[in-house]
């Protein structure tokens, strides 16, 4: 075991103490007892989300720095809370690492995760560690809360609602697509990847929910086409996307000139790991919400299925999102 359970618990205990007074108040008893005791605000309901991050499925040690893996691991959970319009209260980490994983890797992972936790004042209120047979598996549980009856669901989209997305899409997928057999290309892709720090849209989700703007909301983890399809299925509606309107991330074309170009449309449509919010609304939405750009990209239709409008014609759009790494990679 590279990091003894006692040592990890010490780190978790220290980090739990570092949260803001308000957030730490949500943890009545954390690490050191058999279970954490949490207190949530009166007339709130509890949100619970759990996400695996598995080596060779969600990340690769040769591509992703340990800091990014730790950061992204918690991003997945916080982003789910954001999509419900909630506020995070506490996080829990279960981490299994093989005997050959260096201590340095685990330290980097914890650093990335705790940096993001500190940004959102989320105490890490407990966890577990184990030795895995091979590789690294991390599971993060995030507990959040939302006023009773106010959680934003996937099932509320209505025909005629506009479809909106925060931020821009496709950068993580575009960078991963650049990894190849060439060592040099891989070094510059790894550099680009290191600069990515997906930011869960907690403030934007909260702002929108408090004004009752979204009729349905989801976070983009599997890719726009897949996640929009989840809204369509849960709401029993269809959707029409305008290809031109989809905000594509700009990434560096080459390292020397630092020139940037937009990612390919298909990466913005089907790539994953964006952690932006996708929501539907009948209301007018300002172009910027809680400091984040918001773009109208289409509308909800009564006719089922998804369509992509491009150059004056409409094509059937299938959910073709991220399937993590291909089997034979
Ligand atoms: Mg989600």
């Amino acid at each position: 075991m590279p990091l003894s359970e006692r040592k990890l618990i010490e780190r978790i205990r220290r980090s739990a103490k570092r949260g803001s007074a308000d957030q730490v108040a949500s943890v009545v008893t954390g690490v050191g007892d058999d279970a954490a005791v949490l207190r949530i605000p009166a007339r709130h309901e509890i949100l619970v989300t759990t996400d695996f991050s598995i080596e060779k499925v969600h990340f690769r040690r040769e591509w992703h720095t340990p800091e990014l893996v730790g950061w992204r691991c918690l991003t997945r959970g916080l982003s789910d809370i954001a999509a419900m319009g909630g506020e995070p209260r506490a996080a829990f980490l279960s981490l299994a690492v093989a005997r050959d994983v260096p201590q340095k890797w685990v330290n980097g992972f914890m650093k990335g995760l705790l940096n993001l936790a500190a940004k959102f004042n989320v105490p890490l209120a407990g966890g577990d560690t184990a030795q895995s047979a091979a590789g690294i598996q991390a599971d993060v549980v995030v507990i959040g809360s939302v006023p009773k009856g106010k959680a934003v669901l996937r099932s509320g989209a209505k025909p005629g609602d506009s479809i909106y997305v925060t931020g821009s899409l496709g950068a993580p997928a575009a960078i991963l697509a650049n990894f190849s057999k060439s060592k040099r290309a891989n070094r510059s892709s790894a550099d680009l990847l290191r600069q990515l720090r997906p930011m869960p849209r907690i403030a934007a989700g909260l702002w929108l929910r408090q004004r009752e703007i979204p009729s349905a909301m989801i976070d983009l983890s599997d890719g726009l086409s897949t996640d929009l399809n989840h809204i369509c299925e849960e709401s029993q509606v269809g959707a029409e996307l305008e290809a031109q309107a989809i905000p594509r991330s700009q990434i560096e074309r080459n390292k020397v000139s630092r020139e940037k170009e937009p990612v390919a449309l298909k990466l913005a449509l089907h790539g994953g790991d964006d952690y932006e919010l996708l929501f539907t609304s009948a209301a007018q939405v300002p172009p910027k919400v809680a400091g984040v750009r918001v773009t109208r990209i289409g509308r909800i239709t009564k006719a089922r299925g998804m369509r992509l409008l491009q150059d004056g014609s409409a094509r059937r759009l299938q959910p073709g999102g991220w399937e993590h790494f291909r089997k034979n990679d």
Side-chain angles (χ1 to χ4, degrees), residues 98-138:
R99 195 190 292 272
D100 63 353
V101 175
Q103 176 70 50
K104 208 173 142 213
W105 194 95
V106 179
N107 290 345
F109 172 90
M110 288 306 294
K111 191 173 156 208
L113 187 141
L114 291 174
N115 279 346
L116 183 62
K119 262 196 175 18
F120 288 90
N121 283 324
V122 180
L124 190 56
D128 195 12
T129 57
Q131 188 174 303
S132 80
I136 301 158
Q137 298 90 38

mmCIF file of all heavy atoms in Angstrom, residues 98-138:
data_model
loop_
_atom_site.group_PDB
_atom_site.id
_atom_site.type_symbol
_atom_site.label_atom_id
_atom_site.label_comp_id
_atom_site.label_asym_id
_atom_site.label_seq_id
_atom_site.Cartn_x
_atom_site.Cartn_y
_atom_site.Cartn_z
ATOM 1 N N ALA A 98 -2.769 -0.106 -6.991
ATOM 2 C CA ALA A 98 -1.929 -1.305 -7.003
ATOM 3 C C ALA A 98 -0.615 -1.020 -6.291
ATOM 4 O O ALA A 98 -0.214 0.139 -6.149
ATOM 5 C CB ALA A 98 -1.677 -1.737 -8.441
ATOM 6 N N ARG A 99 0.061 -2.080 -5.876
ATOM 7 C CA ARG A 99 1.304 -1.956 -5.117
ATOM 8 C C ARG A 99 2.387 -1.176 -5.887
ATOM 9 O O ARG A 99 3.181 -0.462 -5.290
ATOM 10 C CB ARG A 99 1.817 -3.362 -4.787
ATOM 11 C CG ARG A 99 2.884 -3.421 -3.711
ATOM 12 C CD ARG A 99 3.483 -4.829 -3.665
ATOM 13 N NE ARG A 99 2.503 -5.788 -3.174
ATOM 14 C CZ ARG A 99 2.334 -6.046 -1.879
ATOM 15 N NH1 ARG A 99 3.050 -5.429 -0.978
ATOM 16 N NH2 ARG A 99 1.439 -6.937 -1.503
ATOM 17 N N ASP A 100 2.348 -1.283 -7.236
ATOM 18 C CA ASP A 100 3.422 -0.645 -8.014
ATOM 19 C C ASP A 100 3.156 0.834 -8.335
ATOM 20 O O ASP A 100 3.936 1.463 -9.029
ATOM 21 C CB ASP A 100 3.670 -1.429 -9.312
ATOM 22 C CG ASP A 100 2.452 -1.418 -10.237
ATOM 23 O OD1 ASP A 100 1.374 -0.919 -9.816
ATOM 24 O OD2 ASP A 100 2.560 -1.909 -11.370
ATOM 25 N N VAL A 101 2.064 1.382 -7.865
ATOM 26 C CA VAL A 101 1.784 2.807 -8.124
ATOM 27 C C VAL A 101 2.631 3.642 -7.158
ATOM 28 O O VAL A 101 2.545 3.458 -5.948
ATOM 29 C CB VAL A 101 0.284 3.134 -7.927
ATOM 30 C CG1 VAL A 101 0.031 4.630 -8.075
ATOM 31 C CG2 VAL A 101 -0.560 2.349 -8.922
ATOM 32 N N PRO A 102 3.474 4.544 -7.690
ATOM 33 C CA PRO A 102 4.359 5.291 -6.789
ATOM 34 C C PRO A 102 3.598 6.215 -5.833
ATOM 35 O O PRO A 102 2.559 6.767 -6.196
ATOM 36 C CB PRO A 102 5.248 6.109 -7.729
ATOM 37 C CG PRO A 102 4.792 5.835 -9.104
ATOM 38 C CD PRO A 102 3.650 4.886 -9.089
ATOM 39 N N GLN A 103 4.177 6.392 -4.677
ATOM 40 C CA GLN A 103 3.626 7.310 -3.674
ATOM 41 C C GLN A 103 3.427 8.704 -4.265
ATOM 42 O O GLN A 103 2.438 9.394 -3.987
ATOM 43 C CB GLN A 103 4.603 7.374 -2.496
ATOM 44 C CG GLN A 103 4.221 8.364 -1.415
ATOM 45 C CD GLN A 103 3.005 7.896 -0.662
ATOM 46 O OE1 GLN A 103 2.935 6.749 -0.210
ATOM 47 N NE2 GLN A 103 2.006 8.751 -0.540
ATOM 48 N N LYS A 104 4.375 9.103 -5.131
ATOM 49 C CA LYS A 104 4.318 10.430 -5.745
ATOM 50 C C LYS A 104 3.024 10.600 -6.540
ATOM 51 O O LYS A 104 2.444 11.686 -6.577
ATOM 52 C CB LYS A 104 5.538 10.576 -6.672
ATOM 53 C CG LYS A 104 6.010 11.989 -6.841
ATOM 54 C CD LYS A 104 7.315 12.029 -7.634
ATOM 55 C CE LYS A 104 7.245 13.251 -8.533
ATOM 56 N NZ LYS A 104 7.929 13.054 -9.800
ATOM 57 N N TRP A 105 2.609 9.549 -7.204
ATOM 58 C CA TRP A 105 1.372 9.622 -7.999
ATOM 59 C C TRP A 105 0.182 9.885 -7.071
ATOM 60 O O TRP A 105 -0.656 10.745 -7.340
ATOM 61 C CB TRP A 105 1.169 8.332 -8.805
ATOM 62 C CG TRP A 105 0.119 8.510 -9.867
ATOM 63 C CD1 TRP A 105 0.337 8.837 -11.178
ATOM 64 C CD2 TRP A 105 -1.306 8.450 -9.685
ATOM 65 N NE1 TRP A 105 -0.868 8.980 -11.829
ATOM 66 C CE2 TRP A 105 -1.891 8.747 -10.943
ATOM 67 C CE3 TRP A 105 -2.144 8.172 -8.619
ATOM 68 C CZ2 TRP A 105 -3.267 8.776 -11.154
ATOM 69 C CZ3 TRP A 105 -3.520 8.206 -8.807
ATOM 70 C CH2 TRP A 105 -4.064 8.501 -10.064
ATOM 71 N N VAL A 106 0.141 9.137 -5.972
ATOM 72 C CA VAL A 106 -0.985 9.288 -5.035
ATOM 73 C C VAL A 106 -0.993 10.697 -4.440
ATOM 74 O O VAL A 106 -2.050 11.326 -4.315
ATOM 75 C CB VAL A 106 -0.927 8.214 -3.912
ATOM 76 C CG1 VAL A 106 -2.083 8.394 -2.929
ATOM 77 C CG2 VAL A 106 -0.963 6.817 -4.519
ATOM 78 N N ASN A 107 0.201 11.215 -4.111
ATOM 79 C CA ASN A 107 0.283 12.577 -3.577
ATOM 80 C C ASN A 107 -0.246 13.596 -4.578
ATOM 81 O O ASN A 107 -0.982 14.517 -4.222
ATOM 82 C CB ASN A 107 1.732 12.937 -3.226
ATOM 83 C CG ASN A 107 2.228 12.160 -2.019
ATOM 84 O OD1 ASN A 107 1.429 11.568 -1.286
ATOM 85 N ND2 ASN A 107 3.535 12.128 -1.829
ATOM 86 N N GLY A 108 0.139 13.432 -5.848
ATOM 87 C CA GLY A 108 -0.312 14.349 -6.898
ATOM 88 C C GLY A 108 -1.821 14.277 -7.071
ATOM 89 O O GLY A 108 -2.508 15.303 -7.205
ATOM 90 N N PHE A 109 -2.333 13.073 -7.050
ATOM 91 C CA PHE A 109 -3.779 12.860 -7.177
ATOM 92 C C PHE A 109 -4.521 13.589 -6.045
ATOM 93 O O PHE A 109 -5.483 14.330 -6.277
ATOM 94 C CB PHE A 109 -4.074 11.347 -7.118
ATOM 95 C CG PHE A 109 -5.539 11.000 -7.045
ATOM 96 C CD1 PHE A 109 -6.283 10.808 -8.199
ATOM 97 C CD2 PHE A 109 -6.173 10.864 -5.811
ATOM 98 C CE1 PHE A 109 -7.640 10.493 -8.129
ATOM 99 C CE2 PHE A 109 -7.519 10.560 -5.730
ATOM 100 C CZ PHE A 109 -8.261 10.373 -6.893
ATOM 101 N N MET A 110 -4.034 13.400 -4.804
ATOM 102 C CA MET A 110 -4.689 14.032 -3.653
ATOM 103 C C MET A 110 -4.602 15.550 -3.752
ATOM 104 O O MET A 110 -5.538 16.269 -3.412
ATOM 105 C CB MET A 110 -4.057 13.557 -2.332
ATOM 106 C CG MET A 110 -4.376 12.130 -1.949
ATOM 107 S SD MET A 110 -6.150 11.750 -1.906
ATOM 108 C CE MET A 110 -6.696 12.772 -0.534
ATOM 109 N N LYS A 111 -3.446 16.038 -4.253
ATOM 110 C CA LYS A 111 -3.263 17.476 -4.385
ATOM 111 C C LYS A 111 -4.293 18.058 -5.355
ATOM 112 O O LYS A 111 -4.943 19.069 -5.062
ATOM 113 C CB LYS A 111 -1.834 17.753 -4.882
ATOM 114 C CG LYS A 111 -1.423 19.185 -4.804
ATOM 115 C CD LYS A 111 0.056 19.342 -5.160
ATOM 116 C CE LYS A 111 0.283 20.761 -5.650
ATOM 117 N NZ LYS A 111 1.403 20.848 -6.584
ATOM 118 N N GLY A 112 -4.457 17.413 -6.506
ATOM 119 C CA GLY A 112 -5.423 17.889 -7.506
ATOM 120 C C GLY A 112 -6.841 17.882 -6.955
ATOM 121 O O GLY A 112 -7.599 18.848 -7.103
ATOM 122 N N LEU A 113 -7.184 16.805 -6.275
ATOM 123 C CA LEU A 113 -8.545 16.672 -5.742
ATOM 124 C C LEU A 113 -8.793 17.714 -4.635
ATOM 125 O O LEU A 113 -9.822 18.392 -4.617
ATOM 126 C CB LEU A 113 -8.738 15.247 -5.213
ATOM 127 C CG LEU A 113 -10.155 14.866 -4.775
ATOM 128 C CD1 LEU A 113 -10.479 13.430 -5.179
ATOM 129 C CD2 LEU A 113 -10.340 15.003 -3.277
ATOM 130 N N LEU A 114 -7.799 17.873 -3.748
ATOM 131 C CA LEU A 114 -7.989 18.799 -2.620
ATOM 132 C C LEU A 114 -7.971 20.262 -3.081
ATOM 133 O O LEU A 114 -8.653 21.105 -2.488
ATOM 134 C CB LEU A 114 -6.930 18.557 -1.533
ATOM 135 C CG LEU A 114 -7.087 17.208 -0.793
ATOM 136 C CD1 LEU A 114 -5.928 16.972 0.162
ATOM 137 C CD2 LEU A 114 -8.416 17.125 -0.044
ATOM 138 N N ASN A 115 -7.206 20.552 -4.147
ATOM 139 C CA ASN A 115 -7.217 21.925 -4.689
ATOM 140 C C ASN A 115 -8.612 22.305 -5.167
ATOM 141 O O ASN A 115 -9.094 23.414 -4.910
ATOM 142 C CB ASN A 115 -6.245 22.064 -5.863
ATOM 143 C CG ASN A 115 -4.821 22.250 -5.389
ATOM 144 O OD1 ASN A 115 -4.590 22.536 -4.210
ATOM 145 N ND2 ASN A 115 -3.863 22.086 -6.290
ATOM 146 N N LEU A 116 -9.260 21.391 -5.872
ATOM 147 C CA LEU A 116 -10.606 21.689 -6.365
ATOM 148 C C LEU A 116 -11.599 21.754 -5.199
ATOM 149 O O LEU A 116 -12.461 22.641 -5.156
ATOM 150 C CB LEU A 116 -11.054 20.633 -7.389
ATOM 151 C CG LEU A 116 -12.428 20.904 -8.010
ATOM 152 C CD1 LEU A 116 -12.446 22.211 -8.792
ATOM 153 C CD2 LEU A 116 -12.856 19.755 -8.918
ATOM 154 N N ALA A 117 -11.440 20.850 -4.231
ATOM 155 C CA ALA A 117 -12.327 20.846 -3.059
ATOM 156 C C ALA A 117 -12.228 22.193 -2.336
ATOM 157 O O ALA A 117 -13.243 22.762 -1.915
ATOM 158 C CB ALA A 117 -11.962 19.696 -2.123
ATOM 159 N N ALA A 118 -11.004 22.717 -2.233
ATOM 160 C CA ALA A 118 -10.795 23.989 -1.534
ATOM 161 C C ALA A 118 -11.465 25.128 -2.294
ATOM 162 O O ALA A 118 -12.051 26.037 -1.696
ATOM 163 C CB ALA A 118 -9.300 24.261 -1.377
ATOM 164 N N LYS A 119 -11.394 25.081 -3.628
ATOM 165 C CA LYS A 119 -12.009 26.139 -4.450
ATOM 166 C C LYS A 119 -13.504 26.253 -4.196
ATOM 167 O O LYS A 119 -14.084 27.317 -4.289
ATOM 168 C CB LYS A 119 -11.803 25.817 -5.934
ATOM 169 C CG LYS A 119 -10.649 26.544 -6.545
ATOM 170 C CD LYS A 119 -10.751 26.477 -8.065
ATOM 171 C CE LYS A 119 -9.697 27.281 -8.759
ATOM 172 N NZ LYS A 119 -8.537 27.696 -8.091
ATOM 173 N N PHE A 120 -14.136 25.117 -3.920
ATOM 174 C CA PHE A 120 -15.583 25.120 -3.721
ATOM 175 C C PHE A 120 -15.961 24.927 -2.257
ATOM 176 O O PHE A 120 -17.128 24.687 -1.947
ATOM 177 C CB PHE A 120 -16.241 24.051 -4.606
ATOM 178 C CG PHE A 120 -16.226 24.441 -6.058
ATOM 179 C CD1 PHE A 120 -15.177 24.091 -6.882
ATOM 180 C CD2 PHE A 120 -17.251 25.217 -6.590
ATOM 181 C CE1 PHE A 120 -15.145 24.484 -8.216
ATOM 182 C CE2 PHE A 120 -17.233 25.615 -7.914
ATOM 183 C CZ PHE A 120 -16.174 25.250 -8.733
ATOM 184 N N ASN A 121 -14.965 25.030 -1.375
ATOM 185 C CA ASN A 121 -15.208 24.858 0.063
ATOM 186 C C ASN A 121 -15.949 23.579 0.392
ATOM 187 O O ASN A 121 -16.843 23.560 1.240
ATOM 188 C CB ASN A 121 -16.029 26.042 0.608
ATOM 189 C CG ASN A 121 -15.172 27.262 0.779
ATOM 190 O OD1 ASN A 121 -14.000 27.152 1.154
ATOM 191 N ND2 ASN A 121 -15.741 28.422 0.486
ATOM 192 N N VAL A 122 -15.590 22.518 -0.314
ATOM 193 C CA VAL A 122 -16.241 21.222 -0.053
ATOM 194 C C VAL A 122 -15.323 20.388 0.827
ATOM 195 O O VAL A 122 -14.223 20.044 0.412
ATOM 196 C CB VAL A 122 -16.510 20.459 -1.368
ATOM 197 C CG1 VAL A 122 -17.190 19.127 -1.089
ATOM 198 C CG2 VAL A 122 -17.368 21.290 -2.288
ATOM 199 N N PRO A 123 -15.738 20.073 2.064
ATOM 200 C CA PRO A 123 -14.888 19.232 2.900
ATOM 201 C C PRO A 123 -14.886 17.788 2.401
ATOM 202 O O PRO A 123 -15.929 17.271 1.987
ATOM 203 C CB PRO A 123 -15.529 19.335 4.291
ATOM 204 C CG PRO A 123 -16.939 19.718 4.032
ATOM 205 C CD PRO A 123 -16.976 20.486 2.747
ATOM 206 N N LEU A 124 -13.700 17.168 2.412
ATOM 207 C CA LEU A 124 -13.612 15.744 2.147
ATOM 208 C C LEU A 124 -13.885 15.080 3.495
ATOM 209 O O LEU A 124 -13.073 15.136 4.402
ATOM 210 C CB LEU A 124 -12.206 15.423 1.628
ATOM 211 C CG LEU A 124 -11.951 14.039 1.057
ATOM 212 C CD1 LEU A 124 -12.907 13.724 -0.078
ATOM 213 C CD2 LEU A 124 -10.514 13.938 0.558
ATOM 214 N N ALA A 125 -15.057 14.501 3.649
ATOM 215 C CA ALA A 125 -15.525 14.108 4.986
ATOM 216 C C ALA A 125 -15.318 12.633 5.294
ATOM 217 O O ALA A 125 -15.768 12.146 6.325
ATOM 218 C CB ALA A 125 -16.996 14.474 5.148
ATOM 219 N N GLY A 126 -14.647 11.926 4.412
ATOM 220 C CA GLY A 126 -14.380 10.529 4.701
ATOM 221 C C GLY A 126 -13.958 9.781 3.466
ATOM 222 O O GLY A 126 -13.899 10.353 2.367
ATOM 223 N N GLY A 127 -13.649 8.501 3.662
ATOM 224 C CA GLY A 127 -13.228 7.712 2.518
ATOM 225 C C GLY A 127 -12.685 6.375 2.946
ATOM 226 O O GLY A 127 -12.752 6.001 4.120
ATOM 227 N N ASP A 128 -12.151 5.672 1.972
ATOM 228 C CA ASP A 128 -11.600 4.359 2.234
ATOM 229 C C ASP A 128 -10.447 4.150 1.265
ATOM 230 O O ASP A 128 -10.415 4.753 0.187
ATOM 231 C CB ASP A 128 -12.692 3.297 1.999
ATOM 232 C CG ASP A 128 -12.317 1.947 2.600
ATOM 233 O OD1 ASP A 128 -11.339 1.883 3.382
ATOM 234 O OD2 ASP A 128 -13.006 0.964 2.280
ATOM 235 N N THR A 129 -9.485 3.324 1.678
ATOM 236 C CA THR A 129 -8.409 2.985 0.754
ATOM 237 C C THR A 129 -8.234 1.474 0.752
ATOM 238 O O THR A 129 -8.581 0.803 1.721
ATOM 239 C CB THR A 129 -7.054 3.602 1.178
ATOM 240 O OG1 THR A 129 -6.763 3.151 2.495
ATOM 241 C CG2 THR A 129 -7.105 5.108 1.139
ATOM 242 N N ALA A 130 -7.733 0.978 -0.380
ATOM 243 C CA ALA A 130 -7.473 -0.456 -0.472
ATOM 244 C C ALA A 130 -6.375 -0.673 -1.495
ATOM 245 O O ALA A 130 -6.072 0.220 -2.292
ATOM 246 C CB ALA A 130 -8.738 -1.192 -0.894
ATOM 247 N N GLN A 131 -5.791 -1.858 -1.448
ATOM 248 C CA GLN A 131 -4.822 -2.207 -2.481
ATOM 249 C C GLN A 131 -5.558 -2.945 -3.577
ATOM 250 O O GLN A 131 -6.302 -3.886 -3.306
ATOM 251 C CB GLN A 131 -3.738 -3.092 -1.892
ATOM 252 C CG GLN A 131 -2.610 -3.328 -2.874
ATOM 253 C CD GLN A 131 -1.472 -4.093 -2.223
ATOM 254 O OE1 GLN A 131 -0.905 -3.672 -1.214
ATOM 255 N NE2 GLN A 131 -1.173 -5.240 -2.787
ATOM 256 N N SER A 132 -5.395 -2.452 -4.820
ATOM 257 C CA SER A 132 -6.090 -3.120 -5.922
ATOM 258 C C SER A 132 -5.170 -4.165 -6.530
ATOM 259 O O SER A 132 -3.954 -4.120 -6.341
ATOM 260 C CB SER A 132 -6.502 -2.096 -6.978
ATOM 261 O OG SER A 132 -5.404 -1.776 -7.792
ATOM 262 N N ALA A 133 -5.768 -5.103 -7.274
ATOM 263 C CA ALA A 133 -4.973 -6.144 -7.919
ATOM 264 C C ALA A 133 -4.117 -5.536 -9.029
ATOM 265 O O ALA A 133 -3.000 -5.967 -9.275
ATOM 266 C CB ALA A 133 -5.898 -7.219 -8.471
ATOM 267 N N ALA A 134 -4.659 -4.510 -9.711
ATOM 268 C CA ALA A 134 -3.911 -3.832 -10.760
ATOM 269 C C ALA A 134 -4.492 -2.450 -10.998
ATOM 270 O O ALA A 134 -5.707 -2.260 -10.909
ATOM 271 C CB ALA A 134 -3.970 -4.632 -12.058
ATOM 272 N N GLY A 135 -3.626 -1.489 -11.279
ATOM 273 C CA GLY A 135 -4.073 -0.153 -11.669
ATOM 274 C C GLY A 135 -4.700 0.643 -10.538
ATOM 275 O O GLY A 135 -4.575 0.314 -9.361
ATOM 276 N N ILE A 136 -5.383 1.723 -10.951
ATOM 277 C CA ILE A 136 -5.935 2.684 -9.999
ATOM 278 C C ILE A 136 -7.438 2.794 -10.214
ATOM 279 O O ILE A 136 -7.886 2.933 -11.355
ATOM 280 C CB ILE A 136 -5.308 4.083 -10.234
ATOM 281 C CG1 ILE A 136 -3.782 4.010 -10.078
ATOM 282 C CG2 ILE A 136 -5.906 5.129 -9.291
ATOM 283 C CD1 ILE A 136 -3.043 5.135 -10.778
ATOM 284 N N GLN A 137 -8.195 2.730 -9.153
ATOM 285 C CA GLN A 137 -9.636 2.960 -9.228
ATOM 286 C C GLN A 137 -10.017 3.933 -8.122
ATOM 287 O O GLN A 137 -9.635 3.737 -6.967
ATOM 288 C CB GLN A 137 -10.428 1.657 -9.026
ATOM 289 C CG GLN A 137 -10.166 0.583 -10.079
ATOM 290 C CD GLN A 137 -9.010 -0.339 -9.704
ATOM 291 O OE1 GLN A 137 -8.843 -0.699 -8.551
ATOM 292 N NE2 GLN A 137 -8.196 -0.701 -10.681
ATOM 293 N N ALA A 138 -10.701 5.003 -8.510
ATOM 294 C CA ALA A 138 -11.131 5.982 -7.512
ATOM 295 C C ALA A 138 -12.637 6.162 -7.654
ATOM 296 O O ALA A 138 -13.162 6.219 -8.765
ATOM 297 C CB ALA A 138 -10.426 7.315 -7.739
#
